[in-house]
Each structure stands twice: as C-alpha cells, then as structure tokens.
C-alpha cells in the first residue's frame, strides 16, 4: 500500500479487499459518500474495532477460575481451558496450580492431584478426563440397573 499512498481512492479500495468476515460486513454497511479519504476510513475503522482488542491477562487470573459447586467437572475443565488460552507467556506451573486450586477439596480429583509431584497442566487435564469417563460410566450403570 506504500506504493499508492498518494491515491486515497485506490488505498480505500485496497484496504477493503483485505478485510474478512465481520470487518467486510461492517465495511459494506458504511453509508455511501461517508468516507472522503483514507484517513477518514482509518479513523472510522479504528473507532469501530479498537474496543474489540483482546485484553491480555496475566497468569494470576487463572486463580479466579473456580469450579461452580452446582456445575459439572466438564464445565470447569472447559472454562479453565478457555481462560488458559488467553494467558500470554506463562510457565506450566502456575496454570497447573490454579487448576488444582479451583477444585473443591472434597473432590476425588483434587485429592489425586495434590498427591502428584511436578504435575503438568496437560497431565492434570488427562486425569480430569479420566474422572469424567468414570463419572459417565457410573451414570450409565445406574441407568441400566
């Protein structure tokens, strides 16, 4: 686009071609003749999408994710995974500790996790999946009885 920086109309057209999905839909909702220069387009676009920037979360945020007493283990694991993805530059020890801390102490999974040394988050999730399978098998057995 640097080659065409003196041609506002061409810059606007090129800009429109690089937009995708929601941004492309947004561009087509602009009223006709509402943009007079590339600077106008840049300003309107920045105002529209600057509020959609994702906020970088620090690893200590994971300690706020707790298992809902009435919620399932599966829901907790899913929520924790979603929150963990939003953390930037985090070593493995903090998410693993936060995952364990978010579980109620009376849960069998919690007791198993505290007995393990140097447990990675992946291993914690694998153990949780095993518990989910056990719970599902127990439910199926009860239904069959």
């Amino acid at each position: 686009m640097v080659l065409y920086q003196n041609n506002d109309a061409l810059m606007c057209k090129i800009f429109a071609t690089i937009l995708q999905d929601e941004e492309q839909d947004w561009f087509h909702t602009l009223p006709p003749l509402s943009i007079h220069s590339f600077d106008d387009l840049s300003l309107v676009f920045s105002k529209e999408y600057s509020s959609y920037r994702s906020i970088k979360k620090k690893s200590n945020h994971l300690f706020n994710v707790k298992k809902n007493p009435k919620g399932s283990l599966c829901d907790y694991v899913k929520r924790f995974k979603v929150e963990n993805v939003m953390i930037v530059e985090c070593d493995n020890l903090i998410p693993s500790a936060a995952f364990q801390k978010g579980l109620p102490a009376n849960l069998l999974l919690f007791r198993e996790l505290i007995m393990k040394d140097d447990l990675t988050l992946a291993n914690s999730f694998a153990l949780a999946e095993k518990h989910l399978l056990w719970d599902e098998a127990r439910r199926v057995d009860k239904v069959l009885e």
Side-chain angles (χ1 to χ4, degrees), residues 86-99:
M86 294 182 192
I87 306 300
V88 179
E89 297 177 17
C90 181
D91 69 30
N92 196 33
L93 296 176
I94 294 171
S96 182
F99 179 75

Side-chain angles (χ1 to χ4, degrees), residues 33-116:
L33 305 174
S34 63
I35 304 296
H36 301 290
S37 68
F38 185 74
D39 288 341
D40 287 351
L41 180 58
S42 298
L43 181 63
V44 171
F45 183 83
S46 296
K47 282 182 180 179
E48 179 70 19
Y49 287 98
S50 64
S51 64
Y52 292 107
R53 285 181 288 152
S54 60
I55 298 170
K56 293 180 182 175
K57 296 180 179 180
K58 298 191 186 289
S59 56
N60 63 351
H61 165 74
L62 292 174
F63 286 99
N64 297 326
V65 182
K66 307 264 188 235
K67 182 186 174 297
N68 185 335
K70 294 180 181 179
S72 70
L73 178 60
C74 184
D75 290 339
Y76 172 66
V77 171
K78 285 178 185 175
R79 276 189 306 111
F80 195 91
K81 285 180 177 180
V82 166
E83 293 298 323
N84 188 48
V85 170
M86 294 182 192
I87 306 300
V88 179
E89 297 177 17
C90 181
D91 69 30
N92 196 33
L93 296 176
I94 294 171
S96 182
F99 179 75
Q100 177 183 325
K101 184 132 177 74
L103 294 168
N106 63 348
L107 204 64
L108 180 60
L109 174 60
F110 176 82
R111 290 180 287 205
E112 283 191 44
L113 290 173
I114 64 171
M115 299 303 287
K116 306 268 186 193

Side-chain angles (χ1 to χ4, degrees), residues 1 5 10 12 15 23 28 38 51-52 54 57 67-68 91 108 117 122 126-127 130 133-134 139:
M1 288 183 64
Q5 65 188 3
L10 188 56
C12 291
F15 181 78
E23 295 87 4
H28 290 293
F38 185 74
S51 64
Y52 292 107
S54 60
K57 296 180 179 180
K67 182 186 174 297
N68 185 335
D91 69 30
L108 180 60
D117 290 331
L127 198 54
K130 189 166 90 172
L133 291 173
W134 287 342
R139 274 184 250 142

Side-chain angles (χ1 to χ4, degrees), residues 15-27 45 49:
F15 181 78
T17 63
I18 63 169
L19 298 176
Q20 297 177 2
D21 303 321
E22 294 102 5
E23 295 87 4
Q24 186 69 250
D25 293 341
W26 166 83
F27 180 80
F45 183 83
Y49 287 98

